[in-house]
Amino acid sequence: MGSNGTNGDAAVGSDMPRQKGKATPDTLKVGCIAMVIKDGQPRRAEILSIRETKSGRQFYCNFDNFNKRLDEWVPVGRIDFEQDVDWPNPDKDKQKDGKMKKASTAQKKIPGKKTQKRVGKREQSVASEGQTPHPWTDFVESQQVKASPQKAEEDDKVVASLEVGATPGVGSDEMELNEDETPAEVAKRERAASFSREEEIEKLRTSGSMTQNPAEISRIRNISRVEFGRYVLFPWYFSPYPEIFSQEDCIFICEFCLSYYGDLKSFTRHRLKCTLQHPPGNEIYRDDFVSFYEIDGRRQRTWCRNLCLLSKMFLDHKTLFYDVDPFLFYVMTTRDERGCHLIGYFSKEKESADGFNVACILTLPQYQRKGYGRLLIQFSYELSKIEGKLGSPEKPLSDLGLLSYRQYWSENIIDLLLGFSEREERCTIEGIASHLAMTTQDVEHTLQALKMQVYHKGEHKIVIPEKLIQQREKSKAKQKRLIDPERIQWKPPVFTASNRTWGW
Amino acid sequence: MATRKVRYKKLSVKTPLQVLREDQIDPTEYESLTNESQIATGVEQAEENEYHLQAVLQGAGVAADKEIPVPPPEQSNLNYDELYSQRFSKTSTYIRFSQTVEECVGCMYDMTEDDSVFLKSYNQKRGANPHLSEDDFERIMEVFEDTAYIKTPFASVDQTIVPYDEMIQGLQDLDTSKVMPHAKEIYEYWKSMRQALSNQPLHPALKFETHQETDEMDPYVCFRRREMRQTRKTRARDVQSADKLKRLRKELEEGRQLVLASHARELLKAEMLKTDRAIFEQRAQLKEHKIRLGIKTDDEDLINQKPQKRKAPEVPAIQRPPPSQIRLPVRPDGRPAEADLAQLADRLAEKENELRADIEKKVQNHSEWNKNHVDLTRGPLSPVRGPKLDLSFRPAKTQYLMTPPASVSSGAEEPTPMDLDKPENPPSVFHFWGVSQDEESLERPPKYRRRIGRLNRLWIDRRGMASPPRDHGDDNMSDKWKYDQSSDDEDTTMFEVDPYDIRALRFRSSIPLPAWMTNRLVAVPVGVGNRPAILPPGALPPGALPPGALPPGAQHPNQGVRPPSRQQTGG
């Protein structure tokens, strides 16, 4: 499985050989991959949609190796027609479609319940065998083998590569994070894109997860501008607001009840009537700076749905496929003389089979990079501490989520370790985990990511790099706000059997 | 691909690890483990290699300044203060809130730009006639939308439009005088708007599942119902459900009976009022007749003899708010529940009875426990001191038998206490001489006690003896008290002092009150509270507390006071 000839840039579209050729603004169609100027640099981009505007034709581009939130409508002028364009392969796509249908019918033949059980077991065993980073993808693959036997050869390849990923240390070369991609990975991604929908739904049914597969029409952002309180927000991702809103230049969202309006008059009328001034739930934390509210998705269905719609604009891996009933929402607000303004929130399953303490977590863009994310994360762990459980956020994380969590984890672990090193005590990973209410996997993950786990004279040891210590001191000086656990007035909510039986 | 030289031990999460700072260890000596296995980032694999994320991750926590670019938010140009004009007052306690969005908003229809244009022109057309306000317009539209939603849930599919007649019922709940003149025209407007939108709700709505094939792949369809968890059907559960249904049925039936009963009661009341009125009128007539005919009897028969007591409690019964609970006990006779309210006195009596019964039971229990208990320890503890000890003293009664006086009176000059084994024993034939028979000694005859001391010595203790005459305080006096020096201090006897003894009273009144008593004067009446008949609190001026009225505990300072006779008993 050597390096790929066509090179890792081929992250958009398929890995199959494509027809190449020159294109014109008129012939360029959806699915083509062209060179587009982004931030002054030419970059490969897949055309996802085309629209006519008064100023001319525009193309919706997804840039190679850029997060979807940077996708944008591009005028003709920014596309380089000098270069060849990769045309979508009609045969392949058709084949793909056909297969997908087959897969879906195959899926349907299996009685739902059995599938669920099997799926669960499969996932668990895989996870425990090799600490797979992405059991979900595994599962997709495993299903896929059954679903499309005629593609066995390709699948074998995929599964093989996956197994490599699942067993650390066998083929360490390929496992390094680099810009290059192996064809297997590309293929895998493509397979995931084409097949995961069914599986996704299946998983949603069983686990209450809120992740969503990105390969849909929902790849195109449908809302371009949102008036929200004192701010104008520019959404990053698709959100299933009423379809008609995609025609609006701007939508209006009430800052308190989160109701949405395409019409300014309606919105002003609504504001005259709306009496809500804080999230409609119980305040469970308050300091001089922020408040937290706990809101039950079942009791505040409208509000929580509105919140989900709003947050979906900024969360890629969130799905609104199912209703909000099985979730609790912990909403962080800041107070002023107008009310409690939404800063961010995290949602949490009332009962998480996988021990997740966070399902979705978001700081609204206007409050990002101000340390609020860390407060949200800390609060989620404080709740876990009260519950006496170890928690972990539901995967996948977004890029921003990963960074926030890594920062929180590393800071807290380093603080703890510095204490141990001063007292010259030994510590166990388990001890760190239970002290911080983190899972041991997350602790190990962080230790490894920070290159702190070492092997020295036949012993495992932890070494705290000087750089990290300095950095921590710096950030400590900057960091002013922390959650004060004493101020939390919260008991883990208990849901009765009938709640569980009839509730969702 | 570098192969390792040493095979690492597996790291368990329970292994104690040494924690070192980077400067405490030689970097050449160890190998970082991070190269060996891939770190699970938890990010979707398709996105793991995204350019900006990698750029930040490469710095492995060092580059805090590197950030992932996002589309930046902007300040809004709308007038925030106008839109969000309500003031928020901070509560001192944590907010508890359970109202839903719908409850906080009121009218759910918000008029659009188009509505506004229509309403303006509509009001203009009406000229001098009363105009329709925006609020009322919204209320009317809300009724239309709601009714349409309820009556024609599939309006967008089958294109039925609810006729105006069916809308009227919903409009009745509004302020009809303001609304009805406009309703018909607004309906026409509403209808045209609905038709323009192919009979969809006027407010843009989310797409919910329609249970069609298209649902699955439509990204706009959201918030589907989750499949319910199947509950196992068991006999127990069936029984439970049946019970619940039965109970519900019963309670509903009770409610119905209650309504029927109160209906009947109200009818009876009306009847009674009618009768009362009839009686009144009859009496009025009677009175008139009496006056006319000049009958002069007292008018007793014209008034109700006794005020009708029954009426009073019935008034609150009528005004009582409807029972909030379905399970409220219902009295068959329809009397108000207040009549059943327990009186405080009853309650107290009941409590006391309970308490008494409890105590009795405990006493019984206790004696039960001790039933077969035999105390085999002899003299288990040091002897109890106090008045009880005196029981062993028995008064010596002198009886004058029909015997001649002792021939030798001189020999009896020194009276010798005689043994008195038991009171029943035949009294001594000796006559005591030399004992002064004053009033005091008559009241309190001398008492004696016999006891066995150490080494089986026999002791006779005496008390209540009058002092011998002291006129001749000679040597034999000292000899007489020779043995009275207490050599056996294990047995100092306390004397019963009759607090009402006149002499004692006299003596005690000469003793100044100790300081602690004057301090506690206020508290003393409380202390004697168990003898209220003797000493009503406040009956005495402060400081004039009769010493005899002191409670037993307060007697202590006086205890040292011996009767003035100072009769020491031997020991």
Side-chain angles (χ1 to χ4, degrees):
Chain A
M1 250 182 262
S3 192
N4 188 2
T6 52
N7 156 345
D9 272 358
V12 285
S14 148
D15 67 317
M16 294 296 280
R18 286 169 171 252
Q19 290 178 12
K20 296 203 176 207
K22 296 272 189 291
T24 66
D26 290 326
T27 56
L28 196 64
K29 57 178 181 176
V30 171
C32 289
I33 294 170
M35 293 305 279
V36 180
I37 307 292
K38 173 81 177 170
D39 302 330
Q41 301 280 327
R43 233 186 150 77
R44 282 169 60 91
E46 185 181 358
I47 311 294
L48 294 177
S49 181
I50 300 171
R51 71 176 180 191
E52 300 291 340
T53 65
K54 283 171 196 158
S55 56
R57 184 171 283 197
Q58 290 187 337
F59 301 88
Y60 193 83
C61 296
N62 170 230
F63 296 95
D64 175 34
N65 270 332
F66 272 22
N67 190 281
K68 266 196 286 171
R69 72 173 74 85
L70 300 176
D71 292 0
E72 59 181 332
W73 289 99
V74 167
V76 177
R78 275 171 59 187
I79 301 173
D80 185 358
F81 289 102
E82 298 291 301
Q83 299 217 32
D84 277 352
V85 161
D86 292 0
W87 295 95
N89 192 334
D91 294 346
K92 170 137 208 294
D93 284 352
K94 228 183 243 166
Q95 201 187 351
K96 216 158 97 179
D97 282 352
K99 216 182 298 153
M100 209 157 78
K101 277 195 188 111
K102 246 178 225 165
S104 71
T105 46
Q107 184 70 32
K108 268 173 196 146
K109 273 176 208 159
I110 305 165
K113 228 181 167 182
K114 275 188 187 165
T115 324
Q116 285 176 18
K117 270 189 187 161
R118 189 153 32 85
V119 165
K121 267 184 198 153
R122 165 86 197 180
E123 254 182 297
Q124 271 173 6
S125 64
V126 168
S128 58
E129 273 163 27
Q131 308 265 309
T132 325
H134 304 292
W136 165 230
T137 332
D138 264 322
F139 159 60
V140 170
E141 303 302 336
S142 68
Q143 289 293 310
Q144 201 181 302
V145 179
K146 271 170 275 157
S148 53
Q150 73 267 38
K151 291 283 284 176
E153 197 191 324
E154 232 182 72
D155 285 327
D156 278 348
K157 215 161 80 179
V158 169
V159 171
S161 85
L162 221 252
E163 272 168 10
V164 168
T167 1
V170 174
S172 53
D173 256 4
E174 270 113 9
M175 286 305 107
E176 281 177 23
L177 295 176
N178 55 17
E179 294 276 288
D180 296 301
E181 281 188 74
T182 61
E185 274 179 298
V186 176
K188 185 168 48 182
R189 171 138 27 85
E190 192 214 324
R191 314 250 82 238
S194 54
F195 279 98
S196 53
R197 187 70 188 177
E198 258 65 42
E199 325 297 350
E200 176 84 26
I201 291 168
E202 208 44 51
K203 179 168 158 80
L204 284 168
R205 288 211 170 104
T206 52
S207 74
S209 153
M210 274 202 159
T211 60
Q212 189 179 30
N213 150 37
E216 283 306 322
I217 144 180
S218 57
R219 291 173 75 180
I220 299 165
R221 190 187 301 132
N222 58 335
I223 310 257
S224 46
R225 186 185 163 95
V226 179
E227 284 279 356
F228 183 77
R230 292 179 202 275
Y231 300 91
V232 180
L233 309 180
F234 300 93
W236 301 351
Y237 307 108
F238 174 89
S239 179
Y241 278 109
E243 226 166 333
I244 198 162
F245 279 13
S246 56
Q247 293 164 24
E248 304 283 350
D249 292 331
C250 179
I251 68 165
F252 305 88
I253 294 179
C254 174
E255 197 189 5
F256 295 119
C257 73
L258 309 180
S259 301
Y260 37 87
Y261 298 88
D263 183 286
L264 180 57
K265 174 72 184 173
S266 293
F267 175 60
T268 6
R269 285 293 303 167
H270 163 80
R271 279 304 313 154
L272 289 175
K273 290 179 285 184
C274 181
T275 57
L276 210 56
Q277 287 181 300
H278 53 78
N282 292 343
E283 199 176 5
I284 55 171
Y285 175 86
R286 179 192 287 182
D287 61 24
D288 298 337
F289 187 59
V290 296
S291 283
F292 270 89
Y293 289 82
E294 180 184 57
I295 292 147
D296 185 338
R298 187 169 158 68
R299 286 164 182 261
Q300 296 287 351
R301 201 171 279 160
T302 308
W303 197 87
C304 292
R305 280 174 174 175
N306 291 350
L307 178 64
C308 285
L309 287 167
L310 173 69
S311 65
K312 178 67 193 78
M313 294 194 289
F314 306 101
L315 292 173
D316 197 4
H317 300 287
K318 176 182 178 62
T319 182
L320 308 183
F321 193 85
Y322 280 120
D323 215 341
V324 291
D325 290 26
F327 293 91
L328 288 166
F329 295 80
Y330 294 92
V331 180
M332 185 165 73
T333 62
T334 167
R335 257 186 324 275
D336 68 8
E337 73 281 3
R338 303 287 176 185
C340 290
H341 308 278
L342 180 66
I343 298 172
Y345 82 102
F346 64 89
S347 56
K348 178 173 181 173
E349 282 176 88
K350 289 173 180 170
E351 270 181 58
S352 172
D354 307 308
F356 293 129
N357 65 352
V358 163
C360 283
I361 182 163
L362 172 75
T363 310
L364 288 176
Q366 67 268 36
Y367 293 104
Q368 283 173 3
R369 296 173 192 186
K370 294 187 170 72
Y372 290 105
R374 189 201 319 253
L375 290 185
L376 281 171
I377 294 172
Q378 193 199 338
F379 196 80
S380 73
Y381 279 108
E382 295 296 347
L383 294 190
S384 289
K385 281 179 199 167
I386 294 174
E387 287 175 311
K389 290 178 184 167
L390 305 184
S392 182
E394 187 177 324
K395 315 294 178 305
L397 295 167
S398 70
D399 48 358
L400 293 170
L402 174 68
L403 295 184
S404 304
Y405 265 101
R406 275 225 180 143
Q407 198 186 4
Y408 175 83
W409 289 337
S410 62
E411 286 181 1
N412 281 280
I413 288 176
I414 286 173
D415 284 352
L416 202 62
L417 289 180
L418 283 176
F420 277 112
S421 111
E422 263 167 41
R423 297 191 298 272
E424 295 188 352
E425 283 173 31
R426 286 170 175 255
C427 74
T428 64
I429 288 176
E430 205 175 42
I432 300 174
S434 65
H435 192 269
L436 297 174
M438 287 169 61
T439 56
T440 50
Q441 290 97 313
D442 286 341
V443 174
E444 280 184 290
H445 164 115
T446 314
L447 290 178
Q448 291 189 1
L450 298 177
K451 302 192 167 68
M452 288 161 74
Q453 237 180 18
V454 301
Y455 199 69
H456 177 247
K457 293 184 178 166
E459 253 188 336
H460 285 278
K461 283 179 186 169
I462 295 175
V463 169
I464 317 170
E466 211 51 46
K467 244 193 261 170
L468 288 180
I469 298 174
Q470 283 163 16
Q471 193 190 319
R472 177 67 191 131
E473 270 159 17
K474 237 198 271 172
S475 71
K476 239 184 192 167
K478 260 201 297 185
Q479 178 183 340
K480 284 164 211 140
R481 294 162 197 141
L482 281 174
I483 296 292
D484 174 9
E486 295 288 305
R487 293 178 191 247
I488 301 177
Q489 292 183 6
W490 184 76
K491 265 185 207 153
V494 179
F495 297 95
T496 60
S498 65
N499 244 338
R500 287 193 297 272
T501 310
W502 309 102
W504 59 76
Chain B
M1 189 170 167
T3 46
R4 299 186 222 103
K5 284 155 203 137
V6 260
R7 189 180 172 81
Y8 298 142
K9 274 184 237 160
K10 200 166 181 286
L11 173 61
S12 145
V13 292
K14 291 191 170 125
T15 317
L17 303 168
Q18 202 179 350
V19 184
L20 298 165
R21 290 166 76 113
E22 199 178 7
D23 48 14
Q24 291 170 313
I25 189 166
D26 184 358
T28 55
E29 278 184 19
Y30 65 85
E31 224 179 315
S32 179
L33 286 186
T34 36
N35 312 330
E36 299 304 320
S37 57
Q38 187 185 5
I39 307 156
T41 56
V43 171
E44 188 97 339
Q45 225 159 20
E47 288 169 18
E48 211 160 44
N49 294 323
E50 274 174 9
Y51 174 79
H52 295 105
L53 176 61
Q54 282 307 317
V56 178
L57 286 184
Q58 293 295 317
V62 182
D65 47 334
K66 271 193 198 167
E67 279 171 343
I68 291 180
V70 299
E74 287 172 9
Q75 289 288 328
S76 170
N77 292 324
L78 296 177
N79 186 342
Y80 182 85
D81 291 332
E82 203 173 274
L83 281 170
Y84 297 88
S85 54
Q86 275 181 79
R87 292 267 146 192
F88 177 69
S89 51
K90 191 180 131 184
T91 57
S92 55
T93 53
Y94 287 13
I95 291 169
R96 302 186 71 78
F97 194 86
S98 60
Q99 275 176 288
T100 60
V101 170
E102 286 80 1
E103 287 165 330
C104 292
V105 170
C107 180
M108 291 304 285
Y109 188 88
D110 301 297
M111 65 190 297
T112 61
E113 211 66 62
D114 293 344
D115 295 339
S116 178
V117 170
F118 162 80
L119 187 65
K120 265 183 200 138
S121 70
Y122 171 80
N123 278 335
Q124 253 170 16
K125 264 189 282 171
R126 288 186 64 89
N129 292 326
H131 285 192
L132 180 61
S133 69
E134 292 191 333
D135 291 338
D136 285 330
F137 174 81
E138 284 183 351
R139 281 185 203 122
I140 297 172
M141 291 295 270
E142 187 189 21
V143 169
F144 292 161
E145 285 286 297
D146 285 353
T147 318
Y149 176 74
I150 293 163
K151 299 216 166 162
T152 58
F154 304 108
S156 59
V157 182
D158 58 15
Q159 297 298 323
T160 46
I161 290 189
V162 180
Y164 178 67
D165 297 341
E166 291 186 33
M167 295 291 189
I168 292 175
Q169 203 194 348
L171 291 171
Q172 297 301 323
D173 299 335
L174 304 178
D175 186 352
T176 44
S177 65
K178 271 209 248 166
V179 160
M180 289 317 278
H182 310 281
K184 182 69 186 155
E185 276 186 76
I186 305 297
Y187 174 76
E188 293 306 326
Y189 170 74
W190 173 80
K191 195 169 157 186
S192 67
M193 292 299 280
R194 284 286 283 217
Q195 276 162 341
L197 282 169
S198 65
N199 212 1
Q200 303 265 5
L202 296 185
H203 266 229
L206 299 177
K207 244 191 187 177
F208 294 111
E209 58 193 327
T210 54
H211 302 287
Q212 288 163 2
E213 278 288 300
T214 51
D215 274 4
E216 288 288 280
M217 301 305 277
D218 187 346
Y220 281 101
V221 176
C222 51
F223 302 127
R224 294 164 175 83
R225 301 300 308 155
R226 218 167 274 262
E227 279 161 24
M228 290 212 188
R229 260 187 228 180
Q230 287 295 315
T231 49
R232 270 183 51 182
K233 193 174 143 64
T234 59
R235 186 176 294 242
R237 202 178 291 276
D238 278 353
V239 170
Q240 250 178 21
S241 316
D243 278 352
K244 265 184 199 157
L245 284 174
K246 269 185 214 156
R247 210 166 58 219
L248 186 65
R249 172 82 179 79
K250 195 169 142 265
E251 279 170 8
L252 285 173
E253 180 58 33
E254 277 171 1
R256 199 176 74 94
Q257 290 301 337
L258 190 62
V259 171
L260 285 180
S262 41
H263 177 245
R265 184 193 63 203
E266 293 306 310
L267 285 182
L268 281 176
K269 248 188 226 165
E271 194 67 25
M272 194 176 74
L273 284 175
K274 242 187 251 166
T275 320
D276 279 353
R277 189 187 166 83
I279 291 171
F280 176 78
E281 277 164 3
Q282 291 281 322
R283 281 175 174 161
Q285 275 180 17
L286 181 64
K287 182 76 183 166
E288 255 171 53
H289 287 305
K290 270 184 170 178
I291 292 167
R292 196 146 30 96
L293 300 175
I295 302 170
K296 284 204 174 158
T297 56
D298 52 354
D299 291 344
E300 293 241 331
D301 50 349
L302 295 186
I303 50 165
N304 286 336
Q305 288 304 336
K306 280 175 196 164
Q308 286 170 321
K309 262 188 199 162
R310 266 194 317 120
K311 274 202 163 178
E314 250 169 21
V315 177
I318 298 158
Q319 288 169 347
R320 213 144 45 90
S324 53
Q325 258 185 25
I326 173 176
R327 249 165 274 217
L328 201 79
V330 182
R331 293 182 56 94
D333 56 359
R335 270 204 296 142
E338 275 91 323
D340 285 341
L341 278 186
Q343 298 295 309
L344 180 64
D346 296 346
R347 270 289 156 84
L348 286 178
E350 204 178 294
K351 273 266 167 69
E352 194 165 323
N353 281 342
E354 263 174 38
L355 203 68
R356 211 161 271 163
D358 197 39
I359 291 170
E360 242 147 64
K361 203 175 155 204
K362 275 195 183 140
V363 168
Q364 246 177 14
N365 277 348
H366 195 77
S367 54
E368 198 92 332
W369 292 331
N370 292 341
K371 208 173 179 181
N372 296 320
H373 176 78
V374 182
D375 189 3
L376 293 174
T377 51
R378 187 178 296 173
L381 290 171
S382 56
V384 187
R385 297 160 187 231
K388 270 215 166 161
L389 213 76
D390 288 353
L391 288 180
S392 50
F393 282 91
R394 288 168 187 125
K397 283 184 189 151
T398 44
Q399 284 183 355
Y400 296 95
L401 297 177
M402 296 292 113
T403 46
S407 51
V408 190
S409 63
S410 62
E413 242 183 323
E414 259 191 344
T416 319
M418 290 282 95
D419 61 328
L420 283 166
D421 273 333
K422 282 171 188 175
E424 305 94 64
N425 274 7
S428 155
V429 293
F430 290 102
H431 179 69
F432 298 110
W433 296 94
V435 178
S436 60
Q437 298 278 330
D438 57 0
E439 49 166 288
E440 191 189 343
S441 59
L442 280 180
E443 273 171 34
R444 314 190 53 193
K447 294 173 188 169
Y448 297 87
R449 171 174 73 171
R450 188 188 77 161
R451 59 191 171 91
I452 306 231
R454 273 176 286 190
L455 300 172
N456 268 346
R457 280 181 296 186
L458 179 75
W459 295 94
I460 303 294
D461 300 338
R462 52 198 179 154
R463 114 181 322 191
M465 303 291 287
S467 301
R470 297 194 174 204
D471 317 339
H472 35 62
D474 49 9
D475 285 343
N476 60 357
M477 271 293 276
S478 58
D479 181 55
K480 188 170 79 178
W481 299 110
K482 189 167 69 178
Y483 299 103
D484 283 348
Q485 295 311 311
S486 169
S487 63
D488 191 1
D489 38 23
E490 70 173 354
D491 194 24
T492 49
T493 342
M494 287 299 177
F495 293 106
E496 170 109 39
V497 177
D498 182 5
Y500 299 101
D501 185 300
I502 292 168
R503 292 183 57 179
L505 278 175
R506 211 182 296 141
F507 177 76
R508 279 200 304 265
S509 63
S510 67
I511 304 170
L513 283 172
W516 62 267
M517 269 188 63
T518 46
N519 289 344
R520 280 189 49 198
L521 262 183
V522 187
V524 168
V526 183
V528 298
N530 53 349
R531 296 160 69 175
I534 296 169
L535 197 111
L540 293 161
L545 190 77
L550 281 178
Q555 256 181 358
H556 181 256
N558 287 352
Q559 215 136 53
V561 179
R562 301 269 153 94
S565 63
R566 293 211 70 84
Q567 178 86 32
Q568 277 271 29
T569 51

